[in-house]
Amino acid sequence: MARIDELNKALQGLLSSSGDIEGSAIVSEDGLIIASALQQGIEEGRVAAMSSAMLSIGDRIGMELKRGKLEQIFVKGEFGFIVLMHAGSHAVLVALARKEAKLGLLFLDMQRTADEVKKILG
C-alpha cells in the first residue's frame, strides 16, 4: 500500500473513531497538504497555510515564554474546535471538531493517529 493510501486510511480511522471530528488533515510544516479528509467546502490549501502559520507562531511562543517544545495548539471558536498536533518531525495532524466534542477523547484519538502517521512517514 502506498504511503498516501496509508495516511488517508489513518485519517478515515480518526473520523470513524470519533463522531465529534468533522474533518482532519495531515499538513507539512511548510504549509502543504499531505493528506486530508475534510468536509466539502473547506479548502485544503487554506487549512494547510493557516495551520502552518499557527504552528510557527505557537513554536515561537513556546520558546519565548519558556514553555518548552510545542505539543499541540487548541483553538475554540463559536462553532467548534481546531486542534493541531505534531505527527512526526515535519508533519502536523489537524482536526476540526464540533463544539460539543469531549476534548479528552479527542486528544486521545488524535495522539493515536499522530503516532500512526509518524510510523508511516518514518
Side-chain angles (χ1 to χ4, degrees), residues 18-38:
S18 173
D20 290 329
I21 296 177
E22 298 176 325
S24 62
I26 300 165
V27 177
S28 69
E29 285 184 325
D30 55 352
L32 300 173
I33 283 285
I34 298 171
S36 74
L38 296 168

Side-chain angles (χ1 to χ4, degrees), residues 1-120:
M1 181 182 294
R3 284 189 344 182
I4 191 69
D5 293 331
E6 291 181 63
L7 293 171
N8 284 323
K9 183 178 174 185
L11 290 177
Q12 289 301 324
L14 176 61
L15 290 175
S16 65
S17 72
S18 173
D20 290 329
I21 296 177
E22 298 176 325
S24 62
I26 300 165
V27 177
S28 69
E29 285 184 325
D30 55 352
L32 300 173
I33 283 285
I34 298 171
S36 74
L38 296 168
Q39 294 173 302
Q40 188 172 359
I42 296 179
E43 295 177 42
E44 288 182 344
R46 182 171 285 181
V47 169
M50 287 191 274
S51 297
S52 177
M54 286 179 21
L55 183 68
S56 177
I57 292 168
D59 280 334
R60 183 162 180 191
I61 289 169
M63 288 183 350
E64 293 287 331
L65 300 180
K66 299 182 182 3
R67 299 295 101 189
K69 185 178 176 189
L70 179 70
E71 291 183 17
Q72 62 182 256
I73 295 175
F74 167 82
V75 177
K76 180 179 180 184
E78 179 181 2
F79 303 115
F81 302 98
I82 302 117
V83 181
L84 283 77
M85 183 178 291
H86 279 286
S89 57
H90 301 290
V92 178
L93 176 62
V94 180
L96 307 175
R98 299 179 320 122
K99 67 179 180 178
E100 300 85 8
K102 293 177 177 44
L103 296 178
L105 293 174
L106 175 69
F107 295 151
L108 180 65
D109 289 338
M110 284 188 70
Q111 187 60 60
R112 288 180 183 151
T113 303
D115 291 342
E116 186 177 348
V117 169
K118 286 178 200 176
K119 288 178 188 172
I120 294 168

